[in-house]
Amino acid sequence: MKRQSGPLMTIIFACAAALAAMIAPSSGPLAQGRTLHLVALGDSLTAGFGLPQEAAFPVVLERALKAKGYNVEIANAGVSGDTSSGGLDRLDWSVPDGTDGVILELGANDMLRGLDPAVTRRNIETIVERLKARNIPVMLAGMYASRNLGADYAGKFDTIYSDIAKKHDLVLYPFFLYGIAGELSLNQSDGMHPTAKGVEIIVDRILPTVESFLARLTPR
């Protein structure tokens, strides 16, 4: 076959470049090529209690997002045993300047200790408001109350996350433990903290919501 050259090849290359430009996304983290800096602010479910560091939720989530082409870094700001009050107290140093977004997962320990849901609500909303004041978007990862705490407590606790998300126009993942809660094989011996396989399932289920959150962000 005769090798083509000259004006014809110039036209072919120009058409190929134009087609590539039409196919490629024009905005968002994939196209911008800049790193999105996220912080996962939470308790032991974020920290990776009982697991090696590479199996913790933020690390597994970052790995999954990178596999899909997102240029992200997720800092693990999870502290085992932390309540919403503890997260509020350490907010400023847990979320440094330059953070593009926060995945907020707090409240499970409040519930397990039977703390007043009104206090949990106030703390989580204050965290959201303080981050919004810094122009840092928030994604809420919610929690449901254990049914043995009674219908009244559960009713007051379960609405915390959806109410705050609606009020502040936040991306919401209603139940962080969706898919693994109550599954013995996916939780450690305490029945409360996920195994490495459990974390993988959490990430697989939450990933579309995180992608929706990323679509709102602008790298700084």
Side-chain angles (χ1 to χ4, degrees):
M1 181 177 178
K2 184 178 180 180
R3 185 177 181 181
Q4 300 292 333
S5 61
L8 177 59
M9 290 305 296
T10 299
I11 294 172
I12 291 174
F13 284 133
C15 290
L19 180 60
M22 292 172 62
I23 295 173
S26 60
S27 62
L30 289 174
Q32 291 168 344
R34 292 180 285 163
T35 301
L36 283 169
H37 296 280
L38 307 182
V39 171
L41 179 65
D43 48 39
S44 56
L45 297 175
T46 291
F49 176 86
L51 299 174
Q53 182 178 359
E54 63 271 15
F57 168 73
V59 179
V60 179
L61 177 60
E62 179 183 306
R63 192 159 58 236
L65 288 168
K66 285 183 174 178
K68 298 195 74 172
Y70 290 92
N71 188 7
V72 298
E73 291 181 358
I74 306 178
N76 189 342
V79 173
S80 294
D82 221 357
T83 61
S84 60
S85 296
L88 177 58
D89 288 343
R90 63 183 175 89
L91 178 62
D92 291 340
W93 60 264
S94 293
V95 182
D97 291 341
T99 297
D100 293 299
V102 169
I103 299 173
L104 178 58
E105 177 276 307
L106 282 169
N109 288 314
D110 300 51
M111 179 268 296
L112 291 173
R113 299 178 189 184
L115 300 181
D116 184 352
V119 174
T120 305
R121 179 185 292 268
R122 183 168 62 249
N123 289 334
I124 292 177
E125 185 161 22
T126 301
I127 290 173
V128 169
E129 290 172 342
R130 284 175 52 177
L131 289 172
K132 287 182 69 176
R134 296 170 58 190
N135 295 314
I136 299 176
V138 179
M139 172 184 151
L140 271 186
M143 183 59 55
Y144 292 142
S146 175
R147 300 299 101 168
N148 63 10
L149 292 171
D152 182 64
Y153 187 94
K156 292 176 180 177
F157 187 91
D158 290 355
T159 57
I160 290 172
Y161 303 90
S162 57
D163 287 350
I164 293 174
K166 183 177 181 180
K167 180 178 178 180
H168 295 279
D169 188 28
L170 307 180
V171 173
L172 170 68
Y173 186 70
F175 185 38
F176 186 76
L177 297 177
Y178 176 58
I180 73 159
E183 297 291 337
L184 295 179
S185 64
L186 299 176
N187 286 277
Q188 299 176 45
S189 59
D190 61 12
M192 296 185 294
H193 294 95
T195 61
K197 178 60 177 177
V199 172
E200 291 177 3
I201 291 175
I202 290 172
V203 167
D204 183 63
R205 291 182 180 272
I206 203 173
L207 194 58
T209 305
V210 175
E211 289 187 271
S212 295
F213 179 56
L214 295 184
R216 294 189 174 195
L217 306 184
T218 301
R220 302 186 181 192

